[in-house]
Amino acid sequence: MSTPPHPQPPAKGASHGAGDFSYVGIDAILEQMRRKAMKQGFELNIMIVGQSGLGKSTLMNTLFKSKVSRKSVVSTPEERIPKTIEIKSISHDIEEKGVRMKLTVIDTPGFGDHINNENCWQPIMKFINDQYEQYLQEEININRKKRIPDSRVHCCMYFIPPTGHCLRPLDVEFMSRLSKVVNIVPVIAKADTLTLEERDFFKQTIREALRANGIDVYPQEEFDEDADDRMINDKIREMIPFAVVGSDQEYQVNGKRLLGRKTKWGTIEVENIAHCEFAYLRDLLIRTHMQNIKDITSSIHYEVYRVRRLNETNAQPNGQPPNTLANPQQANGVAAQHQVLTHEM
């Protein structure tokens, strides 16, 4: 007596035609990856650095079209200028079309606001390295978590005052130091205070200063993966630094509601590329290069830190890790305060 045949699962390639015997179904992995990513969600950690009054909080709110900046959530009657650099972060859960993302905005009040700004980059450097250290310790645990929380800084937006002249020594020092440990995206803040000619001259001057000082901002040329990447990134590098205008106010322009800044001469449209380069910055950070920014953080910046720390550990007697985070550039007496606030949208 013959046994009945086993039921066969429906063929994935059935839609490709019954006679398509060459179809295996390897392309289905993309859908599997998409479902897994949608289920897990994403994390993005952005640090904003620049002296007060440059519109850092407003620009972050404009980028995500939500009140995501620390100042928008934490109401303070009048914020004082701290005596030392403070590191403050706030997290949000954002969802768009079924895609969930945990966004953390890290603010640095006090940076560049003092008469003597010497070494004011050090608390920021320490904070970035502390996040690498925290991730490393989770990674080397015997019973480590299935998914390690990622607090590493993926991108640092550095706000340059719209002087129209050249980079200040503080700007050069900060970007020279920090570009080695984090992806830096420089922006010219409040670019509507410059004429188009002044803006173009300032951008060119900044690019020359970056090259002269060996500062490699994102997207770094050495990390281009292929010719296509290089062609796309070359166009972005020609635009750096982005001259941006931020606004969370809507105005009626030609029958449309637009984000902008209203003046007696007219309305500056934030997302109009003829008015400013905000749209290019948004596309870089969110729509085209977000995953690449995270990949470079993980495979380049964090990896450099991890190798150095493990080498230090191996060099210690009995293999004990050093008591303090190794950072020869860190000066004594500089304190960084890290306050984490959680806010769900």
Side-chain angles (χ1 to χ4, degrees):
M1 185 175 179
S2 60
T3 57
H6 293 289
Q8 297 295 319
K12 181 70 179 176
S15 61
H16 291 257
D20 188 1
F21 296 107
S22 63
Y23 180 76
V24 177
I26 298 172
D27 60 340
I29 188 65
L30 297 176
E31 177 60 21
Q32 296 170 41
M33 292 169 65
R34 189 191 72 84
R35 285 201 306 268
K36 182 177 180 181
M38 292 279 283
K39 187 182 297 184
Q40 289 182 341
F42 301 89
E43 295 168 319
L44 181 64
N45 307 320
I46 298 181
M47 174 178 276
I48 51 177
V49 179
Q51 67 188 60
S52 59
L54 292 180
K56 301 185 296 295
S57 299
T58 301
L59 185 66
M60 289 304 300
N61 293 342
T62 311
L63 272 172
F64 293 95
K65 296 187 176 180
S66 303
K67 301 290 185 181
V68 298
S69 68
R70 179 183 56 85
K71 284 187 178 180
S72 301
V73 177
V74 183
S75 57
T76 52
E78 183 178 351
E79 185 163 1
R80 61 175 178 82
I81 296 176
K83 294 181 179 179
T84 59
I85 309 297
E86 297 179 351
I87 312 293
K88 299 183 178 182
S89 61
I90 185 164
S91 296
H92 305 263
D93 292 322
I94 299 176
E95 184 168 343
E96 182 181 63
K97 295 184 178 180
V99 179
R100 292 180 295 107
M101 183 176 75
K102 181 184 178 182
L103 171 69
T104 300
V105 180
I106 304 142
D107 200 357
T108 55
F111 177 87
D113 290 331
H114 303 94
I115 296 175
N116 182 5
N117 292 302
E118 185 180 3
N119 297 328
C120 65
W121 51 269
Q122 289 178 341
I124 298 172
M125 171 81 84
K126 181 182 183 301
F127 176 86
I128 292 172
N129 282 332
D130 283 349
Q131 307 319 301
Y132 289 150
E133 180 69 17
Q134 182 176 320
Y135 193 91
L136 175 63
Q137 293 305 319
E138 289 283 354
E139 201 173 46
I140 63 179
N141 278 342
I142 296 176
N143 299 315
R144 65 181 181 182
K145 299 174 182 175
K146 185 176 180 181
R147 189 180 182 199
I148 300 173
D150 190 1
S151 64
R152 297 171 296 184
V153 180
H154 300 127
C155 175
C156 173
M157 288 176 55
Y158 185 73
F159 287 70
I160 300 169
T163 62
H165 301 299
C166 60
L167 290 177
R168 303 166 300 168
L170 172 62
D171 303 326
V172 173
E173 178 77 1
F174 179 88
M175 288 191 281
S176 294
R177 302 278 187 174
L178 273 294
S179 62
K180 296 176 176 62
V181 298
V182 70
N183 297 312
I184 290 184
V185 177
V187 299
I188 300 173
K190 296 188 173 181
D192 53 325
T193 61
L194 301 170
T195 66
L196 293 179
E197 292 78 13
E198 289 171 339
R199 189 181 80 180
D200 291 342
F201 174 78
F202 194 30
K203 283 164 64 75
Q204 181 61 33
T205 303
I206 291 172
R207 283 195 293 268
E208 290 173 358
L210 293 176
R211 281 193 294 269
N213 290 279
I215 300 172
D216 206 6
V217 298
Y218 184 84
Q220 300 91 334
E221 192 169 353
E222 63 179 308
F223 302 146
D224 292 342
E225 294 183 358
D226 51 38
D228 290 339
D229 265 2
R230 188 169 297 110
M231 183 174 64
I232 293 170
N233 290 340
D234 279 345
K235 292 179 181 178
I236 296 171
R237 285 187 277 264
E238 289 171 3
M239 274 192 269
I240 285 176
F242 297 100
V244 298
V245 176
S247 174
D248 47 14
Q249 299 294 316
E250 288 189 354
Y251 296 97
Q252 194 86 13
V253 179
N254 297 327
K256 296 180 181 179
R257 300 290 294 177
L258 300 171
L259 289 173
R261 285 168 55 87
K262 195 166 187 177
T263 70
K264 63 173 67 175
W265 301 279
T267 302
I268 300 163
E269 300 170 27
V270 168
E271 297 182 275
N272 187 337
I273 59 175
H275 292 189
C276 76
E277 295 170 338
F278 168 82
Y280 295 123
L281 173 66
R282 177 201 58 207
D283 290 353
L284 175 75
L285 294 179
I286 301 172
R287 300 185 181 182
T288 63
H289 283 64
M290 181 193 293
Q291 187 59 48
N292 183 254
I293 288 172
K294 295 179 64 176
D295 288 344
I296 289 179
T297 299
S298 178
S299 61
I300 305 295
H301 296 307
Y302 170 69
E303 191 64 17
V304 169
Y305 178 87
R306 187 185 70 86
V307 170
R308 176 168 64 83
R309 285 289 283 117
L310 293 180
N311 284 335
E312 289 172 356
T313 301
N314 293 335
Q316 296 296 313
N318 302 322
Q320 294 296 319
N323 293 327
T324 58
L325 179 66
N327 183 5
Q329 298 159 332
Q330 182 181 345
N332 294 328
V334 181
Q337 176 185 4
H338 176 210
Q339 300 178 358
V340 179
L341 306 171
T342 304
H343 174 73
E344 290 191 1
M345 299 178 62

